[in-house]
Amino acid sequence: VEIKDEQFTFKGNMKLPELYALQISDTLEMIKFFIENSEILVNANIAAIKDAEIKGSKTHDIFKSYEIAVKEKQQKTDDYENKWYEASQANDKAKSAYFDSLYQIAELDLKEATKVWVKNNANSVAAAYITLRRLAYQMDFKEMEELVNLFDTAFNQSDYVIKLRKRIEVLKSVAIGNTAPLFSMLDTNGVAVNIEQFKDKIVLLDFWASWCPTCRADNPILVEVYDKLKADKDIVFIGVSLDKKRDNWLKAIYNDKLTWLHVSDLKGWDNEAAQLYGVNSIPATFLLDKGLKIVDKNSKGN
């Protein structure tokens, strides 16, 4: 739409409230707000887009109340994550472990505060959006189903609720005790590897990427474990990379001395195996017993 006399108008109709982004040409910043069927006023200064004022959208008001409610907890989480990253980059293992532990505590505190907010605002589409964007990656299907079942049934056709229910079904399919989903993917030599060929083995699936600092920090631990177990022919490690650039993928394998089997379709987060296993944060591991039964997920340490 064209701006005339410092004003512009959009007109339209929404089935359900949805988060959209408004961008002014020649600026990189966007104004994100919930659009719904009401008269909404956006008042902004092009020199300070992030301070835009939104009036007239009840859903947006509720959405903003979440940001206010968790602001301090979010800041604390971000600070610890940044300090952990700096310590990791400096190869300071003691500091890295210290800030990682503080980050985990802060992240859990933020998660619980978010869950409380979602339960208190389950009659708004904003709660479905927050659940999808802020909780879905760190909840099991039971926790997620509990929240989604609280939502007003009027939101069943919301894109956010549809995606949440789809994720619940995926997570149910990879619950401990279930048979792992089958997939076939090319290895570093371009040869197709089908996971079914390892049904008589114990398999550790490791989802990772060259660009993931946490994955790279964990790789020495995996190497240590693999070196202890590699003599056992019944145990197989398979690295599934969420890289997009083949060279970066291969370089990381070489630099980190990851001498086990590696596969990737070089589709990044759209990796087909990651989609099957409900992976949307890495590193992520799945331990499969003989018969490809899932016996553990995201194993750490011993």
Side-chain angles (χ1 to χ4, degrees), residues 147-190:
L147 289 183
V148 172
N149 287 340
L150 295 175
F151 297 154
D152 191 318
T153 54
F155 305 147
N156 283 347
Q157 296 308 308
S158 164
D159 188 46
Y160 311 132
V161 175
I162 290 171
K163 286 179 178 178
L164 283 167
R165 292 198 181 279
K166 182 179 179 181
R167 178 154 178 79
I168 288 169
E169 292 309 308
V170 170
L171 292 180
K172 281 183 178 180
S173 73
V174 291
I176 291 174
N178 288 350
T179 300
L182 301 179
F183 66 90
S184 179
M185 204 162 283
L186 299 182
D187 67 11
T188 54
N189 295 314

Side-chain angles (χ1 to χ4, degrees), residues 9 33 53 88 97 103 142 163 192 209 267 272-273:
T9 302
F33 61 100
E53 182 183 39
S88 297
Y103 168 79
K142 291 180 181 178
K163 286 179 178 178
K267 293 181 180 179
E272 292 180 14

